[in-house]
Amino acid sequence: AAYSNNPIFDHDPAKDTMYYEVKPRPYIKYFGENSSGTYTAFNDQHLVPGHIYLTDDEIERAKQVAPAADFIYIEPNYKKPGIYSDNKQWRAKKWQSVVDAFPDSNFVQCGNGKSDDSVVLDNVTMIYTKRVREAFAVLSLASMFIGYEGGMHHAAAALGKGGVVLFGGVSSPSATGYDLHINVYGEHPESPCGRHYECSHCKEVMKSLTADQVIREVKE
């Protein structure tokens, strides 16, 4: 979905597929395995944002559901199930504290409404989307992004949106971070661990990240 309307792809309407030579992700050094499970070893690099090509219709539909005034796009959920899943979890109470710290600001959250354990914050405009590109279109109208390191933070960079990104202990800004974001990183001797399995180190790091830290960076 992220590659739709992208001119560097060969779109074949007859087959409803797209052809492109995909090169290995440069931030991944290798995938390893130990007695507990698999993990990713990362390369340090200067990550350059990609591009998302939205259509005029997609943007127009987003304008119909998004607030007319300036708003902040916030993403308190991460992909589940996923290879890093709970290693990225930050408490819903902390996300809510970030919203509550800015009572004069408009916040927007997108979701598909399908997951029973998704975090839905109070005092936000909740927009339910059927496709991820609908969320991208809403994000393209935002003044900034706040969320986890992951798919939506890559989308924010591709759309030229600055913001605050929580990294925790799984990966590091030097591997998957962007210059236009303020990256909140969990400094720890084991970071970034890249572990695909449940990790006590990651939970410790995420617990150590405070709402005040994120609020301070959002103000910045």
Side-chain angles (χ1 to χ4, degrees):
Y3 308 125
S4 297
N5 204 42
N6 191 320
I8 69 171
F9 283 81
D10 177 18
H11 300 261
D12 186 344
K15 298 181 180 178
D16 194 27
T17 55
M18 297 179 294
Y19 298 96
Y20 182 67
E21 182 181 354
V22 180
K23 297 182 179 179
R25 288 164 287 186
Y27 55 86
I28 293 179
K29 186 181 295 184
Y30 60 85
F31 293 104
E33 188 168 354
N34 57 32
S35 58
S36 298
T38 58
Y39 64 91
T40 299
F42 296 100
N43 284 315
D44 289 341
Q45 59 162 2
H46 184 262
L47 196 61
V48 178
H51 299 282
I52 294 175
Y53 295 87
L54 297 167
T55 66
D56 292 342
D57 286 345
E58 287 173 326
I59 295 173
E60 188 57 37
R61 287 196 295 270
K63 288 179 179 179
Q64 293 173 10
V65 295
D70 287 348
F71 65 88
I72 297 169
Y73 188 112
I74 189 165
E75 180 50 85
N77 293 293
Y78 51 89
K79 183 178 180 180
K80 294 178 285 187
I83 59 174
Y84 302 121
S85 289
D86 289 346
N87 291 345
K88 290 186 176 183
Q89 186 176 23
W90 205 48
R91 291 183 62 191
K93 183 178 179 180
K94 293 183 177 181
W95 285 112
Q96 189 63 57
S97 294
V98 174
V99 172
D100 294 345
F102 301 93
D104 297 327
S105 297
N106 297 307
F107 284 85
V108 164
Q109 180 184 342
C110 289
N112 59 22
K114 293 181 179 179
S115 179
D116 293 336
D117 58 351
S118 291
V119 174
V120 178
L121 300 172
D122 295 329
N123 302 318
V124 304
T125 298
M126 186 68 202
I127 299 176
Y128 289 100
T129 55
K130 294 181 180 180
R131 300 174 182 84
V132 70
R133 287 184 67 86
E134 294 175 14
F136 292 163
V138 173
L139 177 56
S140 75
L141 303 176
S143 58
M144 67 176 293
F145 169 81
I146 306 172
Y148 291 107
E149 181 270 340
M152 289 307 292
H153 112 276
H154 290 297
L159 294 166
K161 300 298 173 181
V164 177
V165 179
L166 275 68
F167 268 78
V170 176
S171 57
S172 72
S174 62
T176 57
Y178 297 95
D179 291 342
L180 78 167
H181 294 151
I182 295 177
N183 299 307
V184 181
Y185 182 48
E187 296 288 352
H188 188 284
E190 294 183 38
S191 298
C193 70
R195 291 166 184 158
H196 300 182
Y197 50 88
E198 185 175 358
C199 175
S200 58
H201 145 259
C202 288
K203 293 182 178 180
E204 177 186 341
V205 170
M206 292 306 291
K207 185 177 180 179
S208 72
L209 300 181
T210 67
D212 286 342
Q213 281 178 274
V214 177
I215 291 167
R216 185 167 56 249
E217 300 297 4
V218 172
K219 289 179 178 178
E220 179 68 22

